[in-house]
Amino acid sequence: MSAPPPPYQNQPPQQYPYPQQPGGPQQPGGPQRPQQRQASPLRGLITAVIVLAVFGGGAWYVWNYNTDPNGGKAKAEASASARAEENKKYSPQTGDCIDMQGTADAPRPLVVDCGSSQAEYKTGDRLDGSGQKCGPQYDTSIVYTGARFRSGNYTLCFTKA
């Protein structure tokens, strides 16, 4: 009988240091990675321009909102608030003291502190509807019509303060 073949005699030779892989020999340096695209300087510039445009536009909007002398939104809101405050000063509620201003044909009640020397009258009742008359306990009245005020026709009755 014959002796067994020496070890590794019938095996294909190996390439040092990497074994042969299906698909051909590999390049030294390990497994291949897919190539990554290198970032272009133009792409970075475009991104920077877009970011600056967004932040610049936001900053301009905030600046314009707060400082536009020709009527930015902040000015419009402030003037609307001032008009509301102005209307409040000249729209007395029941129990408010007033200083009667304006003329006899167009009186304008200014709301004042009841402890001040300007307090001429105190607001009594508000009678809704047109043609309402205040009772004998009141010293004067003002009739408001719907064309001038959006709240409809009503009469405010006042007593001396």
Side-chain angles (χ1 to χ4, degrees), residues 91-110:
S91 297
Q93 303 298 315
T94 301
D96 286 345
C97 292
I98 63 156
D99 177 21
M100 195 65 78
Q101 298 181 341
T103 64
D105 294 339
R108 190 169 186 189
L110 172 65

Side-chain angles (χ1 to χ4, degrees), residues 31-44:
Q32 293 279 329
R33 292 185 190 150
Q35 280 191 340
Q36 295 179 353
R37 283 195 267 171
Q38 201 167 12
S40 154
L42 182 62
R43 187 175 193 163

Side-chain angles (χ1 to χ4, degrees), residues 67-101:
T67 62
D68 185 5
N70 296 322
K73 288 184 180 180
K75 184 176 181 180
E77 289 173 358
S79 82
S81 175
R83 279 193 306 273
E85 192 63 34
E86 184 75 11
N87 287 340
K88 194 175 182 183
K89 284 177 26 182
Y90 291 101
S91 297
Q93 303 298 315
T94 301
D96 286 345
C97 292
I98 63 156
D99 177 21
M100 195 65 78
Q101 298 181 341

Side-chain angles (χ1 to χ4, degrees), residues 4-157:
Y8 307 111
Q9 181 180 2
N10 294 332
Q11 293 186 4
Q14 293 186 0
Q15 294 181 359
Y16 184 79
Y18 302 102
Q20 187 173 358
Q21 297 285 327
Q26 286 189 352
Q27 299 291 328
Q32 293 279 329
R33 292 185 190 150
Q35 280 191 340
Q36 295 179 353
R37 283 195 267 171
Q38 201 167 12
S40 154
L42 182 62
R43 187 175 193 163
L45 179 65
I46 291 172
T47 303
V49 167
I50 290 172
V51 168
L52 287 173
V54 168
F55 282 109
W60 176 83
Y61 177 80
V62 169
W63 175 82
N64 187 46
Y65 179 86
N66 290 308
T67 62
D68 185 5
N70 296 322
K73 288 184 180 180
K75 184 176 181 180
E77 289 173 358
S79 82
S81 175
R83 279 193 306 273
E85 192 63 34
E86 184 75 11
N87 287 340
K88 194 175 182 183
K89 284 177 26 182
Y90 291 101
S91 297
Q93 303 298 315
T94 301
D96 286 345
C97 292
I98 63 156
D99 177 21
M100 195 65 78
Q101 298 181 341
T103 64
D105 294 339
R108 190 169 186 189
L110 172 65
V111 177
V112 295
D113 183 14
C114 288
S116 82
S117 62
Q118 292 178 306
E120 282 184 87
Y121 296 98
K122 187 168 188 169
T123 309
D125 283 337
R126 174 186 163 137
L127 307 173
D128 290 324
S130 58
Q132 297 288 333
K133 302 276 184 201
C134 294
Q137 71 271 27
Y138 296 106
D139 298 309
T140 190
S141 64
I142 299 175
V143 178
Y144 293 95
T145 59
R148 194 167 144 204
F149 296 96
R150 293 184 181 155
S151 58
N153 298 333
Y154 64 95
T155 302
L156 287 178
C157 304

